[in-house]
Amino acid sequence: MKIGIIAVQGDFLEHAEIVREIGGEPVYVKKPMDLEGIDALIIPGGESTSIGKLLSRAGLEERVRELALEGMPVLGTCAGAILLAKRVTDRRVGEVKQPLLGVMDISVVRNFYGRQRESFETSVEVEGVGKVRAAFIRAPAIDQAWGSARIISYLDFPPYGRTGVAAIQKNVIAVTFHPEITGDYSLHRYILTLGKR
């Protein structure tokens, strides 16, 4: 199976290594023609504003949006989850303006747990996937889901309480953490499964 990985910025190399290790063929996606023939797509973590601008500049934005809406399995991790959302705010600055793919009926709060020094690692239970070891690095949180989108994993994190960390809408999955950093392959295997359907 060919798994496209958006490779304009962020930790796409780590995702590619995992895809290789579980038997998939990673395809680095830097221009629209790279999307041809792929079975699923991963949007990695990184700087969501930068990735969004680079997607637009490379002419990828509209085709990625079309593929997600047409049913291609898509996994967005951390910044990728932000890009998939329809609404985004920042915990400190509030409303933000940034390019989004906007294919999921979810609302995301950037930098929910704080800055780099507040990063942490823990395990979360993701509905349909199981327990996943997750690294939260300047991570967002999913505070709302509507329409056919559902939050499928929560984290109890004092002092903020229960926060959404994964959501699904049909073929598109957003997780607010980095599974590729902890060496947990569960979500990558899951996206391969979706691609075979």
Side-chain angles (χ1 to χ4, degrees):
M1 281 189 67
K2 290 185 177 181
I3 308 298
I5 303 167
I6 297 292
V8 295
Q9 197 267 341
D11 51 355
F12 52 88
L13 294 174
E14 291 84 350
H15 283 288
E17 186 61 30
I18 292 176
V19 168
R20 245 181 241 111
E21 288 189 22
I22 62 175
E25 179 185 344
V27 176
Y28 294 117
V29 175
K30 297 182 178 182
K31 49 191 182 300
M33 66 182 296
D34 299 330
L35 293 164
E36 293 175 15
I38 62 170
D39 301 294
L41 180 67
I42 295 173
I43 306 172
E47 293 288 339
S48 63
T49 303
S50 298
I51 295 174
K53 288 179 180 176
L54 291 168
L55 285 177
S56 179
R57 193 175 302 162
L60 283 163
E61 184 180 358
E62 192 53 40
R63 186 60 186 141
V64 168
R65 187 179 291 121
E66 286 172 0
L67 289 171
L69 295 175
E70 288 169 3
M72 174 174 284
V74 177
L75 169 65
T77 64
C78 197
I82 294 171
L83 288 161
L84 291 170
K86 284 190 176 168
R87 286 203 308 247
V88 177
T89 57
D90 185 279
R91 186 169 189 89
R92 289 193 176 188
V93 301
E95 201 69 34
V96 294
K97 296 287 183 194
Q98 67 177 90
L100 300 171
L101 294 167
V103 296
M104 291 188 77
D105 295 332
I106 58 173
S107 174
V108 169
V109 182
R110 295 190 328 192
N111 300 309
F112 184 80
Y113 307 97
R115 299 296 180 185
Q116 193 85 13
R117 65 184 176 190
E118 278 84 41
S119 301
F120 60 97
E121 186 175 322
T122 188
S123 292
V124 295
E125 188 74 25
V126 180
E127 181 186 319
V129 178
K131 186 173 282 187
V132 178
R133 192 69 186 163
F136 291 81
I137 302 169
R138 294 180 57 202
I142 301 167
D143 65 339
Q144 288 181 52
W146 62 93
S148 59
R150 288 187 304 115
I151 296 176
I152 56 171
S153 181
Y154 289 91
L155 176 67
D156 291 315
F157 190 82
Y160 306 117
R162 191 168 186 247
T163 61
V165 297
I168 189 168
Q169 185 167 2
K170 299 176 182 172
N171 50 297
V172 184
I173 302 171
V175 300
T176 64
F177 50 83
H178 294 266
E180 76 283 4
I181 288 177
T182 63
D184 191 306
Y185 300 175
S186 309
L187 282 158
H188 295 79
R189 288 195 180 99
Y190 185 70
I191 202 78
L192 253 68
T193 302
L194 291 179
K196 289 176 182 172
R197 291 180 186 171

